[in-house]
Amino acid sequence: MGMPSPLPVRDGVGATRLHVPMTGAWPTVAAYMVERFFHLEPERLLVRFDRGEIVARDGRPLSRDTPLGAEEFVWYYREPPVEKEIPFAEEILHQDQHLVVVDKPHFLPTTPGGKYLQNSALVRLRNRLGNPDLTPIHRLDRATAGLLMFSARPATRGAYQLLFEDRRVEKVYEAVSARPADWDPSRFPLVYRNRIEKLRGQVCVQVDEDGEPNSETLIEVIAADDRVVHTLLRPHSGKMHQLRVHLAALGLGILHDGFYPVLQPERPDDFTRPLQLLARELRFTDPLSGQERRFTTRRSLQEAPAR
């Protein structure tokens, strides 16, 4: 069980917890934080202590003179970044006392991070539904659209999380790729496996060609024309960027993917060119009611060939 925050959710965003060394070269907690967040103007940070915005585990405000070693953890609210508005709305497909299922648009992150805070599915939904306990049960990349499930109650969250941990959720995706010159539809359907490792500090995952496979995807062809290939993807595992990596390895890199097969320089979002990857369907047996659940996206991929 995680350490509870002494601060409530505010504007849909929970407080951030920071671990502070108990010993070291810093005379105060504030001195450590000034060095830790060297990119901030020191006085800007110290004034937050003066305003009582940085607190201990029991919610007690700390001062800029609180000595190092007095507190091992401190909590504070992140100062909201200047955000670019994501001009697409999430759609609620299902809501009950335990579960919320949404259709997430491309470009919207699942949770706050980096330059996105209010423009995340989690914060938008917490504010929209007035439920600070809302928590994602799984994640979708910011670039990926489609089905995303949230727990509405802490008491039943674990039952739904176990579904994903035990791979008892059937997930189906769609993707559209540029048709390769050597396109051979007779290869499909096929099961693709490899070993994917996420290395700290790197935005792309690394493929270990000689390692024991830890990722698996069943890939089927929905349709193809002289320009693109439209595939149906059934992942058996849930490694980071798995579907993007597997299709790229087959010469079917997903349209508008800036990561695979080659990492492109970072550019501002081009809302006219979303990644052509969609979380299409989720199926599972509800752990509370025993009912069979099936959710299907209402979105489609703009580059898909006409059928």
Side-chain angles (χ1 to χ4, degrees):
M1 178 131 180
M3 192 180 297
S5 171
L7 297 174
V9 170
R10 185 176 73 179
D11 297 328
V13 182
T16 295
R17 185 184 75 188
L18 176 69
H19 179 260
V20 180
M22 297 300 284
T23 60
W26 311 275
T28 62
V29 171
Y32 168 74
M33 291 184 68
V34 165
E35 184 172 318
R36 170 76 169 73
F37 301 109
F38 62 89
H39 56 287
L40 297 177
E41 193 69 37
E43 190 58 29
R44 179 178 163 189
L45 182 58
L46 293 172
V47 164
R48 299 198 66 187
F49 279 93
D50 297 340
R51 293 199 297 252
E53 295 177 0
I54 298 174
V55 306
R57 186 172 184 172
D58 59 3
R60 178 173 32 86
L62 304 181
S63 77
R64 64 169 72 193
D65 299 319
T66 298
L68 191 78
E71 301 294 338
E72 187 175 3
F73 295 95
V74 300
W75 279 261
Y76 59 92
Y77 293 110
R78 284 178 56 197
E79 292 189 318
V82 178
E83 292 187 63
K84 182 177 181 179
E85 185 70 22
I86 305 297
F88 309 107
E90 69 289 347
E91 180 184 1
I92 296 176
L93 300 181
H94 171 85
Q95 182 182 0
D96 62 35
Q97 62 177 323
H98 305 291
L99 197 64
V100 177
V101 182
V102 303
D103 221 348
K104 186 184 85 66
H106 293 285
F107 302 104
L108 185 71
T110 298
T111 56
K115 54 190 175 182
Y116 298 101
L117 194 62
Q118 292 297 320
N119 279 280
S120 64
L122 174 62
V123 173
R124 283 186 179 184
L125 287 166
R126 279 178 172 175
N127 291 331
R128 180 175 171 181
L129 300 176
N131 182 358
D133 291 328
L134 209 66
T135 302
I137 300 170
H138 63 120
R139 307 288 174 105
L140 287 181
D141 291 343
R142 187 171 84 85
T144 304
L147 299 177
L148 188 57
M149 286 172 42
F150 292 82
S151 161
R153 295 184 64 210
T156 57
R157 183 176 304 148
Y160 290 102
Q161 288 174 329
L162 273 176
L163 289 176
F164 284 88
E165 292 173 16
D166 295 341
R167 298 180 182 176
R168 288 183 284 136
V169 178
E170 182 182 347
K171 297 176 284 185
V172 182
Y173 291 74
E174 292 180 35
V176 179
S177 309
R179 175 171 168 157
D182 60 350
W183 168 241
D184 179 8
S186 67
R187 300 170 63 196
F188 299 88
L190 63 80
V191 174
Y192 191 85
R193 302 179 182 91
N194 68 1
R195 185 167 192 84
I196 294 174
E197 302 288 353
K198 175 66 174 81
L199 301 182
R200 192 170 183 176
Q202 295 190 14
V203 296
C204 292
V205 299
Q206 181 170 303
V207 174
D208 180 357
E209 300 290 359
D210 301 319
E212 181 73 20
N214 62 358
S215 63
E216 177 182 308
T217 307
L218 171 62
I219 303 170
E220 305 169 64
V221 174
I222 298 173
D225 60 19
D226 58 1
R227 186 181 65 90
V228 297
V229 178
H230 187 191
T231 50
L232 191 73
L233 312 167
R234 300 179 189 272
H236 180 63
S237 50
K239 294 297 181 182
M240 181 177 177
H241 296 171
Q242 174 178 320
L243 303 178
R244 298 161 75 167
V245 168
H246 284 183
L247 285 175
L250 293 168
L252 290 169
I254 300 174
L255 284 177
H256 314 319
D257 191 347
F259 284 18
Y260 307 97
V262 178
L263 179 63
Q264 304 296 320
E266 186 175 2
R267 300 184 180 93
D269 288 335
D270 181 348
F271 295 137
T272 68
R273 291 167 55 85
L275 177 73
Q276 293 299 281
L277 181 61
L278 177 66
R280 165 173 159 166
E281 193 173 308
L282 290 171
R283 293 187 188 187
F284 58 92
T285 302
D286 191 288
L288 303 182
S289 68
Q291 292 180 323
E292 292 301 313
R293 299 270 205 171
R294 179 184 177 186
F295 300 106
T296 304
T297 183
R298 294 178 184 169
R299 301 181 186 273
S300 59
L301 295 173
Q302 65 185 32
E303 302 280 3
R307 298 170 63 193

